[in-house]
Amino acid sequence: MTMSTRAHPSGASEIAPLGERMGHLQIVRAGLVVVIMTTATFMSDVVGAAAADLMLVSAAFLLLSATVEAVRRMGGRRGLLVVGGMLLVDGAYLAWVMYQTGGTQSPLRFLVYIHVIAVTLLASYRTGLKIALWHSLMYFAVFYAQAARILAPVEPQAETGRLPDSSVFNIIALWLVALVTTLFSSVNERELRRRKRDVEALAEMAEHLEEA
């Protein structure tokens, strides 16, 4: 998955440096892991016997994300490909966490909304929509893997193979969050770029006047 950015020699077209935005995304990942590990530690009734696995996989995920960030810093713009792959890993990790904590009815499913909002605001609104689609695919994949007995069922509805109405509502809510965030992000981005062009035009005019 690639980021929606335009290459300019000077990098002047970026509203905020891409590296800075990706650093903020790393902070978001750390926050997600903290919430998940806290849940595994203090809410054993939610995760049950999977608490140890949850903490182990979360620690491995955090280590992987830190490694990817280090690669991105060394790789420059080519590191964006690595970052895009890490966004897919984020979705798979959160899908696994949801499966371990109740499947489609997991009390931690709000973390998916936070991830979509963060990616939309920090990467681009196009990338945010792609990530929302990826989360939706992971959502269906985990549920029907339970129905097919590929994964051990953790929710009664999985035995029937019919997605419960509440889960359909959760998916609709996810897309509403993604679309609304995308709308506001695109409007805000266009306005910021317009103001930036105005400032650049004024600076260019001042330079011409000074030369004259």
Side-chain angles (χ1 to χ4, degrees):
M1 183 173 296
T2 58
M3 300 293 180
S4 298
T5 57
R6 297 179 180 178
H8 286 70
S10 64
S13 64
E14 292 184 0
I15 297 170
L18 186 59
E20 180 181 341
R21 286 182 277 152
M22 293 301 99
H24 291 327
L25 189 56
Q26 188 68 10
I27 295 174
V28 172
R29 289 192 181 104
L32 296 178
V33 170
V34 168
V35 171
I36 293 167
M37 285 190 166
T38 301
T39 302
T41 302
F42 299 104
M43 299 180 64
S44 58
D45 57 323
V46 173
V47 297
D53 293 338
L54 205 60
M55 296 186 70
L56 179 62
V57 173
S58 296
F61 168 77
L62 197 59
L63 177 62
L64 175 62
S65 63
T67 302
V68 168
E69 177 64 14
V71 171
R72 184 199 63 78
R73 290 177 180 273
M74 293 186 298
R77 287 191 175 274
R78 289 177 297 179
L80 290 179
L81 295 175
V82 181
V83 174
M86 191 62 204
L87 292 177
L88 300 181
V89 174
D90 292 346
Y93 167 69
L94 290 175
W96 182 83
V97 169
M98 288 178 60
Y99 167 69
Q100 294 291 335
T101 57
T104 58
Q105 303 303 315
S106 170
L108 295 178
R109 61 182 178 273
F110 72 92
L111 297 178
V112 174
Y113 301 160
I114 293 177
H115 185 253
V116 169
I117 293 172
V119 171
T120 302
L121 297 178
L122 295 175
S124 74
Y125 59 87
R126 297 182 184 88
T127 304
L129 289 177
K130 295 175 184 178
I131 287 300
L133 177 60
W134 177 245
H135 280 301
S136 299
L137 293 175
M138 290 289 96
Y139 202 89
F140 286 115
V142 171
F143 180 82
Y144 288 111
Q146 295 178 69
R149 303 292 179 171
I150 298 175
L151 295 176
V154 297
E155 48 190 323
Q157 297 88 346
E159 297 180 357
T160 65
R162 181 179 179 276
L163 201 66
D165 294 338
S166 58
S167 297
V168 175
F169 172 79
N170 291 335
I171 295 174
I172 294 175
L174 170 64
W175 276 98
L176 284 176
V177 169
L179 292 173
V180 170
T181 306
T182 294
L183 176 62
F184 290 158
S185 176
S186 62
V187 170
N188 187 51
E189 182 177 333
R190 284 196 300 269
E191 178 63 19
L192 289 175
R193 291 190 184 279
R194 185 188 65 79
R195 292 185 181 183
K196 190 174 187 300
R197 285 194 299 268
D198 291 344
V199 171
E200 291 173 348
L202 287 173
E204 185 178 356
M205 182 179 67
E207 182 179 351
H208 290 329
L209 288 173
E210 183 178 356
E211 292 176 355

